[in-house]
């Protein structure tokens, strides 16, 4: 399965979904809402993630335990990301774009090993091909809104399909959401309902999940229940609460 190098905490990467509406406080203008924090509750503890912005540009993430990420922009484009563990720089990611400001190369420079380069190709049929570290190839398919609806693992058996609700994704309004999405984050327009492996691989190596949500009056999720590999011995349930600026 493709490697997800850094994660917007649990919710930001994969935990998007839907359920019944909830008449909680409105978040204001739906087109300016930005995610402030997520609080995830596991069987063995609680994990909090905080997000900071400059206008609608994501500039920092801080995690429970002291880890963090810093996002740097050049000429309005995200060009580098620095990941810190216990205050020490662990990984730096450099991004390059084509003449249409589309992400074409991401280079991961590790403190503990050789660099890794991922490249993106934009195909005439609207799909995107990602070559990971010169080895694994993935093809992403999108709907008209820009939601990823399928990913094909050309070299293996980790093919996935997605279904979505019609509500607002917590990261809907961040700058360059399409770039974060390509790098493995669920910065779609809507929220993922199900994420299912279509190749029938054993559940111990599958990260398929289903989700349910409550929403505020602006149609943004305020809480979520995510169940990984439901109905199996590997089933895990996580509860997430979200707050907004």
């Amino acid at each position: 399965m493709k490697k997800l190098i850094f994660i917007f905490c649990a919710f930001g990467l994969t935990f998007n979904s839907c359920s019944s509406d909830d008449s909680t406080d409105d978040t204001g203008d739906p087109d300016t809402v930005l995610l402030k924090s997520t609080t995830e509750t596991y069987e063995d503890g609680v994990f909090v993630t905080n997000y900071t912005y400059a206008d609608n540009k994501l500039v920092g993430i801080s995690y429970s335990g002291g880890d963090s990420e810093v996002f740097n922009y050049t000429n309005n484009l995200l060009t580098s990301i620095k990941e810190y563990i216990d205050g020490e720089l662990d990984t730096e990611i450099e991004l390059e774009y084509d003449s249409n400001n589309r992400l074409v190369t991401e280079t991961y420079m590790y403190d503990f090993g050789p660099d890794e380069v991922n490249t993106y190709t934009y195909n005439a049929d609207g799909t995107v091909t990602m070559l990971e570290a010169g080895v694994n190839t993935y093809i992403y398919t999108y709907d008209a809104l820009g939601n990823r609806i399928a990913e094909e693992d050309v070299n293996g058996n980790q093919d996935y399909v997605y279904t979505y609700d019609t509500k607002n994704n917590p990261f809907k309004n961040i700058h360059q959401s399409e770039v974060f999405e390509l790098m493995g984050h669920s910065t779609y327009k809507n929220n993922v309902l199900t994420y299912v492996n279509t190749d029938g691989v054993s559940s111990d190596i599958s990260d398929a999940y289903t989700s349910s949500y409550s929403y505020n009056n602006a149609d943004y999720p305020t809480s979520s229940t995510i169940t990984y590999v439901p109905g199996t011995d590997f089933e895990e349930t996580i509860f997430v609460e979200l707050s907004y600026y």
Side-chain angles (χ1 to χ4, degrees):
M1 185 175 180
K2 72 176 181 298
K3 188 177 183 182
L4 299 179
I5 305 298
F6 70 103
I7 299 175
F8 274 0
C9 183
F11 182 86
L13 176 62
T14 56
F15 296 171
N16 301 314
S17 58
C18 96
S19 182
S20 60
D21 290 342
D22 183 27
S23 296
T24 56
D25 291 340
D26 202 326
T27 57
D29 184 351
D31 294 328
T32 62
V33 169
L34 295 170
L35 182 64
K36 182 178 182 180
S37 68
T38 59
T39 301
E40 303 157 48
T41 301
Y42 300 82
E43 290 184 0
D44 57 353
V46 176
F47 190 85
V48 178
T49 303
N50 294 295
Y51 304 87
T52 56
Y53 305 84
D55 294 324
N56 66 337
K57 294 184 179 72
L58 181 67
V59 295
I61 304 177
S62 60
Y63 302 98
S64 294
D67 297 343
S68 62
E69 298 182 50
V70 176
F71 301 83
N72 301 296
Y73 296 81
T74 303
N75 295 327
N76 218 35
L77 296 175
L78 177 64
T79 51
S80 72
I81 303 164
K82 294 183 179 181
E83 301 176 355
Y84 296 86
I85 296 179
D86 295 328
E88 298 291 331
L89 181 63
D90 179 75
T91 303
E92 185 168 3
I93 306 165
E94 291 188 350
L95 309 180
E96 298 180 4
Y97 300 84
D98 64 13
S99 59
N100 294 315
N101 292 337
R102 298 179 301 187
L103 178 66
V104 292
T105 304
E106 53 180 340
T107 302
Y108 293 82
M109 296 171 287
Y110 301 111
D111 181 53
F112 51 84
D115 295 350
E116 178 179 297
V117 179
N118 300 331
T119 60
Y120 297 90
T121 302
Y122 299 85
N123 306 311
D125 62 358
T127 61
V128 178
T129 300
M130 185 266 221
L131 177 61
E132 179 190 55
V135 177
N136 300 313
T137 301
Y138 303 90
I139 299 176
Y140 304 145
T141 301
Y142 298 87
D143 65 15
L145 296 175
N147 296 316
R148 187 187 300 184
I149 57 174
E151 55 186 74
E152 176 188 355
D153 178 6
V154 175
N155 309 105
N157 60 358
Q158 295 288 305
D159 296 339
Y160 288 84
V161 294
Y162 303 69
T163 63
Y164 292 83
D165 66 2
T166 58
K167 308 296 186 179
N168 293 316
N169 185 289
F171 294 105
K172 171 185 174 181
N173 297 319
I174 69 167
H175 181 66
Q176 288 190 281
S177 61
E178 73 283 355
V179 171
F180 288 107
E181 187 276 328
L182 283 173
M183 298 180 72
H185 309 294
S186 293
T187 53
Y188 309 115
K189 296 302 181 185
N190 305 120
N191 301 298
V192 180
L193 293 171
T194 60
Y195 177 65
V196 179
N197 189 302
T198 60
D199 280 341
V201 297
S202 60
S203 60
D204 59 328
I205 60 173
S206 171
D207 60 356
Y209 66 88
T210 61
S211 304
S212 61
Y213 265 82
S214 296
Y215 302 92
N216 60 24
N217 291 338
D219 284 341
Y220 283 89
T222 56
S223 63
S224 175
T225 302
I226 304 99
T227 304
Y228 274 92
V229 291
T232 73
D233 292 339
F234 305 95
E235 180 174 312
E236 178 183 11
T237 300
I238 301 168
F239 303 96
V240 183
E241 294 183 353
L242 304 95
S243 66
Y244 298 89
Y245 289 103

